[in-house]
Amino acid sequence: MPEGDTVHLAGKRLHAALSGHRLLRGELRHPRLVEHDLAGLTVLGVASVGKHLFTRFDDGRSLHSHFRMDGSWHLYRPGMRWRRPAHEARAVLETEDRVAVGFALHDMELLPTTAEDRLVGHLGPDLLDPGWNDGHATEVLRRLEARRDAEIGLALLEQRVMAGIGNLYKAEVCFLLGLSPWTLVRDVPDLPGTIALSRKLLLRNADRPEQSTTGSLHPGEAHWVFERAGQRCRRCGTRIRTAEQGDGVYARVAYWCPRCQPGPAPPPKRAPGQRGEGPQLLSTGR
């Protein structure tokens, strides 16, 4: 699932391309919305809220979309060839000089703009909210502290705590804090610092498609641990480990360095035929 900065950038680009322009074509191809034609409406703006996008129109309605795992919005000039198959298109919004195509958008809804809170009111503060202030940070802290018995890796992913963090930033935040993703929230020594770091990393990448947490944009150098399974830790040389964290559809691959991130963690997988005990939590020292 995309990170909050990816959705933020998509919203920013859609806003620049569509805001203030009248739609010559406004097709909604989602099964629940095919009877609606948005042609003739003027786009007032596009805004992101966490991982949600709202395209707002001058008739008082908003088009809500969520990327989930494989959705995306593309921008084209009229007549340009689309980069994804036409059968994947769920929305086509065309103005005089731009065409916005929403591909594989499984979650879409057309609703009154005044009712947007029905879809995002349950979320925690958006880490990329342009109006972010100390009150937002205090609210996130309150929500984190209420989950004191949860694993910090899972708490970071919970959009009801703070909106915007995905698996990439979860892995990188935990590494930079020197914490195992399985550390309980109550054992995290600096929760305000955790919130500040999460926002800092998202802000660093909010206005570009490349996502770097190391400070480098060179291929293969952008991340500390994310998607580096089996490679050497950039700090200590220990091999990066992976394990599943979470249950069912909420399970995600966790990446961590067992030396730089001591604390509870699943035991390494044993080779076939090797004897050993069942799953347990281990404490890994530096």
Side-chain angles (χ1 to χ4, degrees):
M1 189 175 294
E3 309 286 330
D5 56 354
T6 299
V7 181
H8 170 85
L9 181 59
K12 182 177 180 179
R13 289 179 170 177
L14 286 169
H15 179 83
L18 302 178
S19 181
H21 295 280
R22 180 173 173 271
L23 294 181
L24 304 179
R25 180 182 178 191
E27 297 178 11
L28 299 181
R29 302 181 182 181
H30 192 283
R32 294 195 302 271
L33 300 174
V34 291
E35 74 276 13
H36 296 281
D37 183 357
L38 305 180
L41 299 181
T42 296
V43 178
L44 297 182
V46 182
S48 63
V49 181
K51 298 183 180 184
H52 300 254
L53 275 179
F54 292 98
T55 303
R56 297 162 179 158
F57 305 104
D58 63 347
D59 69 344
R61 292 185 296 173
S62 296
L63 178 64
H64 166 261
S65 58
H66 193 293
F67 288 174
R68 294 298 173 190
M69 297 298 291
D70 55 349
S72 62
W73 279 95
H74 292 189
L75 280 171
Y76 303 96
R77 295 293 179 182
M80 287 180 64
R81 183 184 181 89
W82 295 354
R83 296 190 301 274
R84 292 181 67 165
H87 72 264
E88 293 185 1
R90 294 293 177 266
V92 183
L93 308 179
E94 182 174 354
T95 67
E96 186 175 352
D97 61 352
R98 300 308 297 268
V99 182
V101 186
F103 292 101
L105 298 174
H106 308 290
D107 291 355
M108 294 186 70
E109 185 170 342
L110 195 61
L111 73 165
T113 300
T114 55
E116 289 179 358
D117 198 55
R118 174 168 60 82
L119 299 180
V120 295
H122 64 288
L123 299 177
D126 182 355
L127 289 168
L128 290 175
D129 186 336
W132 180 275
N133 56 38
D134 290 343
H136 293 92
T138 299
E139 178 59 19
V140 174
L141 179 62
R142 183 190 70 79
R143 295 183 183 218
L144 265 180
E145 290 176 336
R147 291 157 176 78
R148 63 190 311 271
D149 295 325
E151 297 165 354
I152 185 60
L154 297 180
L156 288 172
L157 288 175
E158 189 175 346
Q159 303 302 295
R160 292 174 182 267
V161 174
M162 52 182 163
I165 293 289
N167 207 39
L168 187 163
Y169 289 112
K170 160 211 162 175
E172 300 294 281
V173 166
C174 287
F175 175 82
L176 290 169
L177 292 173
L179 296 173
S180 159
W182 287 270
T183 302
L184 298 183
V185 170
R186 66 170 179 259
D187 295 327
V188 175
D190 184 8
L191 287 177
T194 300
I195 299 165
L197 177 61
S198 299
R199 175 166 158 78
K200 177 182 177 180
L201 293 182
L202 281 170
L203 282 171
R204 180 185 296 174
N205 298 295
D207 293 321
R208 65 188 183 203
E210 301 84 7
Q211 295 165 310
S212 172
T213 55
T214 62
S216 173
L217 292 176
H218 293 294
E221 298 180 4
H223 306 138
W224 294 101
V225 293
F226 180 70
E227 293 188 339
R228 300 191 65 242
Q231 298 182 49
R232 297 290 185 181
C233 174
R234 301 188 191 281
R235 284 184 173 170
C236 73
T238 303
R239 292 198 182 277
I240 302 301
R241 285 185 55 198
T242 63
E244 191 173 87
Q245 185 177 25
D247 299 318
V249 297
Y250 298 103
R252 297 289 183 271
V253 177
Y255 301 84
W256 84 105
C257 171
R259 181 174 178 82
C260 293
Q261 297 171 259
K269 291 183 179 179
R270 298 180 182 276
Q274 186 175 2
R275 298 178 63 186
E277 299 178 354
Q280 57 183 318
L281 290 182
L282 303 180
S283 180
T284 307
R286 289 188 181 272

